[in-house]
Amino acid sequence: MAQFLKDHVVAIASFLLIFLLTLFIYTETKQKSEERRHKLFTFKADQATADIEQRMRDYIQVLIGAKALYIASDTVDRSAWRAYYETLNLEQNYPGIQGIGYSHVVWPHELEQHTEQIRNEGYSEYTVYPESKQPMYTSIIFLEPFEGRNLRAFGYDMFSDSIRRSAMTIARDTKQPALTGKVRLVQENNKDEQAGFLIYLPIYDNNADPESIWDRQRLIKGYVYSPFRAIDLMTAILKNDFDDLDIEVYDGVTMDKESLLFSTDTTLYNNASEKRLFSKVNTLSIGNHTWRIYLSGKPSLGKSGDIELPYFILAGGFIIAMLMFFVTWSLSNTRHSNHLKQTITDNATAALFIIDSKGYCTFMNPAAEEMTGYTFEEMQQGKLHDMIHHSHPDGSPYHADQCPIRTSLAISKPQRAYEDVFVRKDGSFFNVSCAVQPIQESGKQNSYAIIEVRDITDEKHAQQALIESEARFRTMADNAPVMIWMSDAWGHCIYVNKQWTDFTGQSFEDSIADNWKELIDETDYKDFREVYKKGVAEEKTFKNEMHLRRYDGQFRSIINTGSPRFGADGEYLGHIGSIIDISEIKEAEQKLKQNAELLQKLFLEVPAVVGLVRAPDYQYVLANPLYSTLYGNRSLVGKTIYEAHSEVELTEFHGRLQKVFETGEPFVGNEVLSSINNGDNGGLISGYFNMVYQPLIDSVGKVEAVLIFAVEVTELINARKELSSINEELSSKNKELLRINTDLDNFIYTASHDLKSPIANMEGLSVLLRDILRGKLGDGDKQILDMISQSIEKLKRTIADLAEITKVQKELDSAVEPLCFNNLLEDITADINSQLQEADATITTDFQVSSVLYARKNLRSIIYNLVSNAVKYKSPERPAIVSIQSYQEDGCVVLQVSDNGLGIRKEQQHKLFTMFKRLHNHVEGTGIGLYIVKRIVENSGGRIVVESEFDQGTTFKVYFKQELVKEKV
């Protein structure tokens, strides 16, 4: 470059002089033009923002006037509201507003009366909608103009929508106008839909001006408000005054498509990949709400005839400078050409030889002498082949007719970059790369050839080292725990490691053929392409997150990092990058975010007292609503404990708090008696709390804050005291019932025992009387004696049953043992064999569970009663069939006894297990058997259920609560 400058200094100087002068004039002219356009843009952008802000404040003043109408009037009816609206002449004075309305607050107990009142005004179909149970309703009752789209809003409960409710709550609690976020107005009818918003101003009962938030919430009467369709509004405000600007209005501080309220163009320049020359973001705060306004200048902004002048100056000056340069350059170029050829030859790094048609060297440059060790004079002593190409590396001779150089010369065909081995003067071999160019003079054939030779010994060594290095790199990359890729300087993929092919399921060949693009989620590809192209163009590191399709078709979140690669000379070679699957990290971050939101929600809504006091000034940083409630709903956050509490309140907890700050040890107190403000008259009442003062320690071990967590247990303590009293009373009653039960059992046992002797005497006297009067008794006398005998028999059975009931109660703790169902059934059928034969009964069994742990006498009583009843109450129309099964169900052993007998009516089934209750009287019985069965089963923790259909049969299921018996008994 220095030589070029030296050889062409005149041409370059003339070019630079003219071009620099042109560049100076161009810069000054363009700078002045841009400054004028920038000032014009700033002025217009600020003017548009001011117009929007002023118009919105005008609308707020309209609402203040509407509120004043309510305050000044005892009542405001529909006609007065219409007159107020028509007087304002809003369409003429403030175009863009959708209307002005009044929404009335209706409490749930007033809803029916409110609806009836509006209907009595002539609106028979009026109702508050959407219908749902709410703690408060805000129904639109006035809205002017009361026509067209606005009719759809009549009766709408705006408090049912979360966005509107948020703004209404702010307006109510602050007494200030409040603007909503972006909403869909109920006036929309699916035609020409626009984004909307509303402004609210609260009105309180009796024209009150409440000071506290609680009073404002209690006294709220309604809201005057105005709805707006964003496009209609902004079009009316901006008119045609800002045609050379594109204006985008965003709801809130986030400027994305979802929060867009209005745009003058379908293209959102805020999010465009290429930003305009002039752009600006202004912020508006209206009604406790924020708008962001993005303004950008159109290309036509401030354009006039002199805008193009700098470019004409630059182009003209450049052309003149170039003409001057080429004229002077062409004059000196010829002078340097011959000198340059000689310089190139003498300073070439490659060895150059010229041989004649016989193979003798006629020229060699200094590089050739240095490479071979021969001088030119020494080289002329023999043919070139015989001097430096006569042997193979193994020492065998290299015949001339096999030499590629001689062959190329003979056939007049050039050779390019073929590799061979030459011999130096000292006999050492070295690797070379040769190029042979035969030269044919006019009228002659193969006059001579030019040979270019490069010593590639170092290249060979480097190539071998490179192969080994590449093998090591591939081994390392394939075993790395991340996906690795490599691209060339043009951005094409040239390598992916094994982790990539395993993760994506795509082959190495497909990946380096640019098919990797198919694996990127199409929604991410555009952003990735921009980042990738920028990284390649700027030769810088880049990083991006996107979704990559795994071999199983699932898209995974990954982070892709690329770093530039440079050669030894600083040449950009491409990028090398890594890809890490961060799906689990993303899921963890999402869970962490959800947990943080949940923690904040818990802090505000947890049914406990929570506060946070920081060191060293003992100032409240946090206090949830329940904490404030304990102290009369006073504002605590931002105040020290000395400012927020009275001396009486401080006395109780200041010492505990100070000790925690000093020692760093938590304080835990159970059922601590504390004084709290009841909020009614400012007085203090006592309450019990379980509380924890937990220190929060910083990184150096110092207490930076104390978390106060407390749960009021006053009601629990009072309930415990009351429960203790009730438990004492129940204990006394239980002892009395146990005594009565014992006395009753003793009475039944004594009665049954003492009655046996008199009954036996009565039975003996009856028999004796029958013997004495034998032959003297008439038929009537015999009948009387028979009736006496029957009565005595019934009395004996009743006494036996009473004794059995007592025995069941006394044998609750009988020892259990493994019992086989089949063995017990065989024993029972032997006892009732005569009944079975008489009833022609058939018994079938299916014992899936063969054994059970139970008291032998109790299990026998259960099976005996169920089987004998099934036979006893058979249907006279069919032979008796009794099915007995056992199986496991819900952790219980179930014994099921089914029959096809008389069955039981549904309305009588609830009496089935009652003592002495019989539902069929055509056979003998006392009505106590099923009562005993139920008592045995329930006393052992089980249950018995019955399923029956009249004249079809009955099924009893007995559930034994116990483990299965696995061994065979």
mmCIF file of all heavy atoms in Angstrom, residues 931-943:
data_model
loop_
_atom_site.group_PDB
_atom_site.id
_atom_site.type_symbol
_atom_site.label_atom_id
_atom_site.label_comp_id
_atom_site.label_asym_id
_atom_site.label_seq_id
_atom_site.Cartn_x
_atom_site.Cartn_y
_atom_site.Cartn_z
ATOM 1 N N TYR A 931 -82.004 -59.081 65.282
ATOM 2 C CA TYR A 931 -81.514 -58.049 66.212
ATOM 3 C C TYR A 931 -80.184 -58.497 66.811
ATOM 4 O O TYR A 931 -79.230 -57.716 66.909
ATOM 5 C CB TYR A 931 -82.552 -57.808 67.303
ATOM 6 C CG TYR A 931 -82.028 -56.945 68.437
ATOM 7 C CD1 TYR A 931 -81.944 -55.561 68.295
ATOM 8 C CD2 TYR A 931 -81.594 -57.521 69.618
ATOM 9 C CE1 TYR A 931 -81.452 -54.770 69.319
ATOM 10 C CE2 TYR A 931 -81.090 -56.736 70.649
ATOM 11 C CZ TYR A 931 -81.028 -55.360 70.504
ATOM 12 O OH TYR A 931 -80.530 -54.593 71.510
ATOM 13 N N ILE A 932 -80.118 -59.791 67.215
ATOM 14 C CA ILE A 932 -78.883 -60.325 67.806
ATOM 15 C C ILE A 932 -77.758 -60.324 66.766
ATOM 16 O O ILE A 932 -76.614 -59.961 67.058
ATOM 17 C CB ILE A 932 -79.137 -61.740 68.359
ATOM 18 C CG1 ILE A 932 -80.058 -61.659 69.587
ATOM 19 C CG2 ILE A 932 -77.826 -62.421 68.723
ATOM 20 C CD1 ILE A 932 -80.478 -63.002 70.133
ATOM 21 N N VAL A 933 -78.071 -60.717 65.511
ATOM 22 C CA VAL A 933 -77.061 -60.727 64.457
ATOM 23 C C VAL A 933 -76.482 -59.326 64.252
ATOM 24 O O VAL A 933 -75.256 -59.128 64.188
ATOM 25 C CB VAL A 933 -77.665 -61.263 63.141
ATOM 26 C CG1 VAL A 933 -76.696 -61.013 61.980
ATOM 27 C CG2 VAL A 933 -77.964 -62.741 63.261
ATOM 28 N N LYS A 934 -77.359 -58.322 64.142
ATOM 29 C CA LYS A 934 -76.901 -56.945 63.923
ATOM 30 C C LYS A 934 -76.019 -56.476 65.071
ATOM 31 O O LYS A 934 -74.989 -55.821 64.876
ATOM 32 C CB LYS A 934 -78.119 -56.029 63.768
ATOM 33 C CG LYS A 934 -77.768 -54.555 63.511
ATOM 34 C CD LYS A 934 -79.019 -53.748 63.233
ATOM 35 C CE LYS A 934 -78.756 -52.276 63.134
ATOM 36 N NZ LYS A 934 -77.787 -51.868 62.171
ATOM 37 N N ARG A 935 -76.439 -56.826 66.310
ATOM 38 C CA ARG A 935 -75.673 -56.378 67.468
ATOM 39 C C ARG A 935 -74.288 -57.045 67.506
ATOM 40 O O ARG A 935 -73.291 -56.410 67.819
ATOM 41 C CB ARG A 935 -76.451 -56.705 68.745
ATOM 42 C CG ARG A 935 -75.837 -56.064 69.976
ATOM 43 C CD ARG A 935 -76.809 -56.029 71.110
ATOM 44 N NE ARG A 935 -76.226 -55.375 72.265
ATOM 45 C CZ ARG A 935 -76.869 -55.205 73.435
ATOM 46 N NH1 ARG A 935 -78.111 -55.649 73.550
ATOM 47 N NH2 ARG A 935 -76.275 -54.601 74.432
ATOM 48 N N ILE A 936 -74.214 -58.343 67.175
ATOM 49 C CA ILE A 936 -72.929 -59.041 67.142
ATOM 50 C C ILE A 936 -72.005 -58.405 66.109
ATOM 51 O O ILE A 936 -70.822 -58.126 66.381
ATOM 52 C CB ILE A 936 -73.142 -60.539 66.827
ATOM 53 C CG1 ILE A 936 -73.814 -61.246 68.008
ATOM 54 C CG2 ILE A 936 -71.804 -61.213 66.517
ATOM 55 C CD1 ILE A 936 -74.222 -62.669 67.703
ATOM 56 N N VAL A 937 -72.533 -58.159 64.898
ATOM 57 C CA VAL A 937 -71.713 -57.630 63.804
ATOM 58 C C VAL A 937 -71.199 -56.226 64.133
ATOM 59 O O VAL A 937 -70.008 -55.917 63.991
ATOM 60 C CB VAL A 937 -72.514 -57.615 62.485
ATOM 61 C CG1 VAL A 937 -71.731 -56.876 61.398
ATOM 62 C CG2 VAL A 937 -72.814 -59.039 62.035
ATOM 63 N N GLU A 938 -72.089 -55.353 64.582
ATOM 64 C CA GLU A 938 -71.684 -53.973 64.837
ATOM 65 C C GLU A 938 -70.776 -53.857 66.042
ATOM 66 O O GLU A 938 -69.905 -52.976 66.102
ATOM 67 C CB GLU A 938 -72.922 -53.091 65.003
ATOM 68 C CG GLU A 938 -73.711 -52.934 63.703
ATOM 69 C CD GLU A 938 -74.934 -52.037 63.862
ATOM 70 O OE1 GLU A 938 -75.293 -51.722 65.021
ATOM 71 O OE2 GLU A 938 -75.510 -51.654 62.827
ATOM 72 N N ASN A 939 -70.965 -54.725 67.057
ATOM 73 C CA ASN A 939 -70.084 -54.674 68.226
ATOM 74 C C ASN A 939 -68.638 -55.038 67.870
ATOM 75 O O ASN A 939 -67.709 -54.650 68.569
ATOM 76 C CB ASN A 939 -70.594 -55.613 69.315
ATOM 77 C CG ASN A 939 -71.813 -55.030 70.043
ATOM 78 O OD1 ASN A 939 -72.072 -53.837 69.946
ATOM 79 N ND2 ASN A 939 -72.556 -55.862 70.737
ATOM 80 N N SER A 940 -68.451 -55.778 66.769
ATOM 81 C CA SER A 940 -67.097 -56.148 66.351
ATOM 82 C C SER A 940 -66.557 -55.214 65.263
ATOM 83 O O SER A 940 -65.551 -55.510 64.625
ATOM 84 C CB SER A 940 -67.090 -57.590 65.843
ATOM 85 O OG SER A 940 -67.930 -57.723 64.711
ATOM 86 N N GLY A 941 -67.244 -54.071 65.029
ATOM 87 C CA GLY A 941 -66.753 -53.083 64.064
ATOM 88 C C GLY A 941 -67.211 -53.317 62.647
ATOM 89 O O GLY A 941 -66.757 -52.617 61.735
ATOM 90 N N GLY A 942 -68.115 -54.252 62.410
ATOM 91 C CA GLY A 942 -68.592 -54.509 61.056
ATOM 92 C C GLY A 942 -69.947 -53.872 60.807
ATOM 93 O O GLY A 942 -70.406 -53.009 61.553
ATOM 94 N N ARG A 943 -70.591 -54.314 59.734
ATOM 95 C CA ARG A 943 -71.929 -53.822 59.416
ATOM 96 C C ARG A 943 -72.674 -54.876 58.609
ATOM 97 O O ARG A 943 -72.054 -55.766 58.002
ATOM 98 C CB ARG A 943 -71.856 -52.514 58.619
ATOM 99 C CG ARG A 943 -71.087 -52.615 57.318
ATOM 100 C CD ARG A 943 -70.851 -51.242 56.721
ATOM 101 N NE ARG A 943 -69.983 -51.296 55.552
ATOM 102 C CZ ARG A 943 -70.418 -51.354 54.299
ATOM 103 N NH1 ARG A 943 -71.728 -51.372 54.059
ATOM 104 N NH2 ARG A 943 -69.568 -51.405 53.279
#
